[in-house]
Every structure is written in structure tokens, then in C-alpha cells.
Amino acid sequence: MGKEKSDLWMAISKASTTGFTILCSIGICMGLGYAFDHYMGTNPWGLLIGGIFGGFLGLYGVIRQCM
Amino acid sequence: MELHAGHHHVVQWMGISFNMDTLYMTWLVMAIIIVVTLLATRSRAMVPQGIQNVMEGVLEGLTGQFKTNLGNQWKFLSSILFTYFLFILVSNELGLIPSPHILASPTNDINTTLGLAISSSILVWIVGLKVKGIGYFKHFVQPFKLFIIINLMEEIAKPVTLAFRLFGNILAGEILLELLYALVPYVLPIVWLAFSLAIGIIQAFIFAMLVTSYLGMTIGDGH
């Protein structure tokens, strides 16, 4: 398999996982935020901050994967 | 109407739940792979024919991809990556064989996909330690120390993403197939079945490629 073809397949594989990367990152961080709120009584700040942090983490993961 | 896709026969043993149908199907997948690979390698010829030809074609295609991304390490890692590909490929296609709710894809169970994804993450860590030694952990504090939280969270997100993508695609495909059989029992399910066959191959390929990409990032200087 040529280098160009190989790069194309790798790009397709990475592109196909972009949405899931962002979704899972937001889900994990919101889950942790929710658990933090539940035990510390900080509702809804953990959930909110977790969601924002998850979005940032997802974008960071996608950018790192694509670079 | 009762949907069967995604429903599991659960057995409790010592406080742990076991999805028995997933276990049986996983053993079946392993048996199929062992038989096929034995048949392909039993009497190898210089000019490959039949099943040997098919297996060589598939593995040569993947080898080209591994060599490009893994450099010198590809020989050391190729067997486990081939195993991932073959296991996921056979698992995905198994659920598409028409049967009275006997056959199901092991990959329509989140436990299987999460197990595969976690094992791939452990493989990445082992390879990172083997290639770079203790210096592998430096990447957790790059570009600067504050990024340790983000990098650790990313390490958790990677296997979760891998697992949910594979699980979601296969389960959604099987549910839609079952619905189409119930609603429009002619033509349309055949079209979707053909599409699902292609999806099964693509998903197995994507999983192997993403693990290769994570390994490439670990081995390369960019990590």
C-alpha cells in the first residue's frame, strides 16, 4: 500500500471517530462532575464545569489526533 | 413487537453478571478464526490459492498500513493488530447471518468492545514503556505541567471512544435490520444487510487503524 493511500485510510479512520471523541469526552467529564456534585453538594457547578471541560478535552483530543 | 438485538441472557455467578450469549458467540468467533487460519496455513503454496489467497490478500493490505505507521516496530506489533482485525471482523459479520435469534455479534455487547479497547490501551502503554522506557510518562506533562489532568482524561477517553463507536455501529445496524425485517420483509432488509456487511468490514478496519495510530503516536516523536 502506497504512502498516500495509507494516509488517506488513516485520515478516514480518524475522521470517523471525531464525533464520538467529543461526545465521550463530554460524557465522561459530565459524569465525573455529576458524581462530584452528588458527594460535595455543589449542584450544578460540577456538572456545568465538567461539561465545559469535557468539550475542551474533546476538541483537544481531536486536534491532537489530526495533527 | 419485541426486539432481540441488544438483549442478553444474563447469568449471575458469585455476584458477577455474565452475558452468556456473548460468551458463546465469542467462543464461536475464536473457533472460526482458529479453523480459518489453520486451513489457510496448513498446506501453503508459493502461488496461493483458495483460502490461503484470501488470507494473504487481507493481511498484505493491512501490513502495508502497519509498516507506514509503525516503522521498525511493525513486525513486533502486527500479530496482535491482525488478531484485533480478524476478531472484530468475524464478530461483526456473525450477527448478520440469518438465524432464529441464535447468532448475535459479540460486538453488540459493550463489555466485549470495552474489553478490546482497554486491552488496546494497555498494549499502547506497554509498547510506550518498551520503546521509550520511563521517559514515556513525560508526555503526560507536555506541553506543560498543568496539562497532566487533560492528558490523563484523554487516556481514559480514548478506549471509551473506541468501545462506544464499535458497539454503537454494530448494535444500531442489528436493531435496524430486525426492524426492517418486521416492517418491510422484502428487498429492503437485503439492501441493509449488504450495507451492514460493508460496515462490519469498515469498523474492524477502523479499530485496527486507530490502535495503529495510537501506537504510532506512542512510538513516534510526536508523542
Side-chain angles (χ1 to χ4, degrees):
Chain A
M1 192 182 282
K3 176 92 172 75
E4 276 182 24
K5 213 171 177 182
S6 169
D7 286 347
L8 178 69
W9 278 113
M10 189 56 85
I12 291 169
S13 302
K14 284 176 180 175
S16 75
T17 202
T18 304
F20 273 98
T21 304
I22 295 173
L23 192 75
C24 288
S25 301
I26 293 173
I28 290 169
C29 291
M30 281 184 84
L32 288 174
Y34 180 79
F36 185 82
D37 281 344
H38 183 74
Y39 288 109
M40 305 301 283
T42 52
N43 196 27
W45 295 106
L47 194 70
L48 272 173
I49 293 167
I52 294 164
F53 182 72
F56 175 71
L57 179 71
L59 283 174
Y60 176 74
V62 168
I63 291 165
R64 256 173 64 97
Q65 252 184 25
C66 295
M67 278 170 71
Chain B
M1 182 194 157
E2 192 193 344
L3 277 175
H4 293 85
H7 284 230
H8 300 289
H9 174 227
V10 184
V11 169
Q12 295 279 338
W13 187 67
M14 289 176 74
I16 306 168
S17 301
F18 289 89
N19 291 351
M20 293 313 288
D21 52 337
T22 306
L23 273 180
Y24 297 144
M25 288 301 120
T26 307
W27 292 333
L28 182 61
V29 169
M30 288 192 292
I32 291 169
I33 293 171
I34 289 167
V35 169
V36 168
T37 44
L38 278 176
L39 286 174
T41 53
R42 194 181 48 177
S43 51
R44 283 186 292 173
M46 276 304 286
V47 181
Q49 281 183 327
I51 199 160
Q52 185 193 344
N53 199 9
V54 174
M55 285 297 276
E56 280 192 16
V58 170
L59 298 188
E60 269 177 25
L62 287 171
T63 302
Q65 194 75 36
F66 297 155
K67 268 185 186 171
T68 316
N69 291 292
L70 299 175
N72 298 330
Q73 300 287 330
W74 80 270
K75 276 186 183 172
F76 161 64
L77 294 163
S78 58
S79 31
I80 194 155
L81 291 168
F82 287 144
T83 312
Y84 276 132
F85 177 78
L86 287 177
F87 181 82
I88 296 169
L89 176 70
V90 178
S91 297
N92 292 349
E93 309 300 15
L94 197 68
L96 300 175
I97 298 169
S99 65
H101 311 300
I102 297 168
L103 297 173
S105 299
T107 41
N108 83 8
D109 189 337
I110 188 70
N111 299 299
T112 307
T113 56
L114 209 51
L116 288 167
I118 290 170
S119 72
S120 74
S121 275
I122 292 168
L123 173 73
V124 171
W125 299 331
I126 290 170
V127 170
L129 281 170
K130 186 179 177 284
V131 173
K132 292 184 174 174
I134 204 78
Y136 166 67
F137 293 107
K138 274 185 192 167
H139 84 270
F140 283 112
V141 288
Q142 281 171 353
F144 46 86
K145 282 179 183 172
L146 199 65
F147 266 67
I148 190 166
I149 303 163
I150 292 172
N151 286 325
L152 281 173
M153 290 298 290
E154 200 194 0
E155 287 296 315
I156 300 167
K158 269 183 194 172
V160 174
T161 308
L162 270 180
F164 274 91
R165 202 205 62 259
L166 181 59
F167 165 70
N169 276 291
I170 301 307
L171 183 66
E174 286 189 7
I175 289 174
L176 197 57
L177 192 62
E178 213 175 316
L179 280 174
L180 285 173
Y181 268 123
L183 297 172
V184 195
Y186 309 101
V187 186
L188 210 54
I190 306 293
V191 177
W192 182 250
L193 196 63
F195 186 65
S196 295
L197 280 170
I199 292 286
I201 299 167
I202 291 167
Q203 286 304 324
F205 183 75
I206 285 175
F207 191 97
M209 281 307 99
L210 287 173
V211 177
T212 310
S213 158
Y214 296 151
L215 286 166
M217 282 165 76
T218 307
I219 293 165
D221 292 326
H223 202 75

